Amino acid sequence: MTSEARLRDAYVWIWLPGETSPVVAGRLEAEGDTLFFNYGRSYLQRENCIPLNPNELPLQTGVISPLNGLTIAGCIRDSAPDAWGRRVIINRRMGRKGANVDTGILDELTYLIESGSDRIGALDFQHSATEYVPRSAANVTLPELMESADRVEKGVPLTPELDQALFHGTSIGGARPKALIEAEGKKYIAKFSASTDIWNVVKGEFLAMRLAQLAGLHVAPVKLVKAAGRDVIMIERFDREQKADGWARKVMLSALTLFELDDMLARYASYETLAEIIRQRFASPKETLLELYKRLCFNILCGNTDDHARNHAAFWDGNSFSLTPAYDICPQGRAGNEASQAMLISGNNNLSRMSSCLDAAHHFALSRADAHTHFMMLKTAIETYWHHVCDEAELSQVDRKSLWNRQFINPFSLE
């Protein structure tokens, strides 16, 4: 940490289920690198108040410490910017150059309070407990957003105009360049290509998301557009609901938070454990287990090995959990055939192949035969819709050949 002044506290505001304006829920206070939370008395007296996360921040008076081993409650960390947003904040605050700048240069409270207010989920962070002041920017064009993203990647300080253009999206997760867009009554996350891309990652994600949708998975709607001669994937946000008087927000918790782990311990996250949590705490567990199993199979079949625990999430409505639509299904580059998933599948096994899925079938309340049937149905769907979706993406024949049997339906996945 540098000599940058550290924030000592901030107030957590929440959009309660169905509401279009936020209320203050409580206060965060820093002691060293640890953030402690305290619900406000006025919040606890509300008839419709809900815990931010029932396991780690139950509704109670007094200071609540993070769970053992954590320095911040997972549900709070879920609302913080990840690598990309932190680089933007460092750029706008300090003019730091270079893609490898240490994001630990600022403290966690600063990242929470400096990032845009239209963040994923239903929380925001303010200096005041009585006055809510959103940190947002007016809608700007995609070319402007792409120009500002390029400058951050190159380590070039943003101009005031470009600063505002990109600031709105600093609170969304992930490491790749992205921004928030509102158009035609919908909200989108726009993802851009990165200067380090050695293949068309944007089109690859579009292919995987569209194929997943056509294969019957519950996924966020996507569309592919061009801006300044470059491809942009637009992912429709599912944590927002338009009402007559504004936008309602949905509380979201990552699987990493449900596991009660932090990023340093993410290697212990597994589909097996997530399936157990679904059986115990989710609405419609049988249907949800099947959906999760099919997402696992599809990730393997499309070469998405970046299925870490932040790329799975649940809605929380104060009564029960439900799986969000799938997102961030993006094929990853691979040199050979053998690959492994970011999350363990069953036991210590994370190999990206059909046998791993079949061996784990009982965790998803499936027989081995039914598990095999679902796997093969997804394989058939990818084969059936492949050329159609490639045509939608205007993918060149060279790119089609390079992706087929490498990322998509790699022979190793069928072992």
Side-chain angles (χ1 to χ4, degrees):
M1 193 71 63
T2 69
S3 59
E4 283 284 307
R6 295 174 61 113
L7 287 177
R8 302 309 310 167
D9 63 4
Y11 293 91
V12 181
W13 290 64
I14 183 173
W15 279 254
L16 289 167
E19 299 295 328
T20 56
S21 57
V23 297
V24 67
R27 177 174 175 260
L28 283 171
E29 184 174 5
E31 289 187 15
D33 290 330
T34 302
L35 295 183
F36 297 89
F37 180 76
N38 195 332
Y39 281 109
R41 185 181 302 126
S42 62
Y43 183 76
L44 293 174
Q45 292 173 347
R46 299 181 67 91
E47 292 184 359
N48 61 341
C49 71
I50 65 171
L52 305 191
N53 181 2
N55 267 31
E56 61 180 353
L57 295 180
L59 292 174
Q60 64 184 52
T61 59
V63 175
I64 305 175
S65 303
L67 295 174
N68 290 338
L70 302 181
T71 58
I72 179 174
C75 60
I76 301 295
R77 177 61 181 86
D78 284 341
S79 299
D82 284 334
W84 170 250
R86 291 172 188 239
R87 285 172 60 189
V88 176
I89 290 169
I90 289 171
N91 184 299
R92 71 189 298 264
R93 269 191 64 143
M94 307 169 69
R96 293 276 174 153
K97 295 185 177 181
N100 297 319
V101 63
D102 179 13
T103 56
I105 203 166
L106 298 175
D107 61 276
E108 201 65 31
L109 268 183
T110 296
Y111 283 122
L112 289 171
I113 209 77
E114 288 278 335
S115 48
S117 291
D118 200 10
R119 66 189 71 240
I120 299 300
L123 302 183
D124 194 22
F125 306 89
Q126 298 278 311
H127 289 293
S128 171
T130 57
E131 183 183 12
Y132 179 78
V133 181
R135 300 178 300 281
S136 59
N139 258 2
V140 294
T141 66
L142 276 174
E144 286 178 298
L145 289 166
M146 294 172 74
E147 182 185 351
S148 55
D150 287 344
R151 290 175 72 95
V152 170
E153 278 209 293
K154 295 173 184 175
V156 179
L158 294 171
T159 65
E161 295 77 19
L162 293 179
D163 178 6
Q164 286 302 307
L166 200 60
F167 171 69
H168 189 38
T170 52
S171 53
I172 49 181
R176 295 186 59 79
K178 59 180 67 68
L180 297 178
I181 297 288
E182 186 172 341
E184 299 172 351
K186 295 180 179 179
K187 287 180 177 278
Y188 296 93
I189 296 173
K191 291 186 180 180
F192 315 127
S193 58
S195 59
T196 54
D197 290 346
I198 58 175
W199 64 287
N200 197 323
V201 177
V202 169
K203 283 190 175 180
E205 182 170 356
F206 174 80
L207 291 175
M209 292 287 285
R210 280 287 291 130
L211 285 167
Q213 184 181 42
L214 292 168
L217 296 185
H218 184 35
V219 303
V222 296
K223 62 181 180 179
L224 194 66
V225 300
K226 280 193 178 293
R230 292 160 58 186
D231 296 307
V232 181
I233 183 172
M234 306 274 283
I235 303 106
E236 188 175 334
R237 294 185 64 172
F238 47 75
D239 60 338
R240 296 291 184 266
E241 183 181 1
Q242 191 168 33
K243 303 276 190 177
D245 58 342
W247 290 93
R249 306 189 180 194
K250 298 182 180 181
V251 178
M252 274 177 55
L253 302 174
S254 71
L256 193 67
T257 291
L258 297 179
F259 293 143
E260 300 178 359
L261 300 173
D262 64 11
D263 292 291
M264 299 300 292
L265 298 174
R267 63 186 180 279
Y268 297 112
S270 72
Y271 283 94
E272 177 183 351
T273 305
L274 184 53
E276 178 64 25
I277 292 172
I278 288 170
R279 281 196 296 272
Q280 295 179 358
R281 301 168 62 188
F282 275 56
S284 306
K286 183 177 181 180
E287 295 81 0
T288 305
L289 286 171
L290 177 57
E291 173 71 16
L292 180 63
Y293 176 76
K294 291 196 290 186
R295 292 184 189 185
L296 165 61
C297 296
F298 190 86
N299 283 334
I300 288 174
L301 285 165
C302 79
N304 175 32
T305 55
D306 192 36
D307 56 340
H308 57 79
R310 286 200 186 281
N311 281 344
H312 300 272
F315 293 126
W316 163 244
D317 64 4
N319 295 305
S320 63
F321 294 98
S322 57
L323 209 59
T324 71
Y327 56 95
D328 280 357
I329 306 176
C330 186
Q332 302 296 305
R334 58 204 291 172
N337 287 331
E338 186 169 326
S340 56
Q341 299 305 117
M343 281 212 319
L344 296 169
I345 297 172
S346 181
N348 291 320
N349 175 32
N350 66 340
L351 289 177
S352 309
R353 57 187 183 186
M354 178 171 63
S355 61
S356 301
C357 299
L358 301 186
D359 291 343
H362 60 286
H363 296 303
F364 301 90
L366 292 171
S367 69
R368 193 176 180 90
D370 285 345
H372 181 265
T373 297
H374 286 298
F375 189 97
M376 297 308 293
M377 287 175 65
L378 290 168
K379 174 180 176 288
T380 300
I382 293 173
E383 293 169 335
T384 300
Y385 295 110
W386 172 253
H387 290 295
H388 168 72
V389 175
C390 285
D391 289 343
E392 280 187 15
E394 298 180 351
L395 197 68
S396 71
Q397 291 299 323
V398 171
D399 285 341
R400 296 184 197 207
K401 289 180 180 179
S402 68
L403 289 172
W404 191 249
N405 286 337
R406 182 168 295 181
Q407 275 85 356
F408 290 88
I409 313 189
N410 187 289
F412 183 76
S413 68
L414 303 178
E415 292 183 5

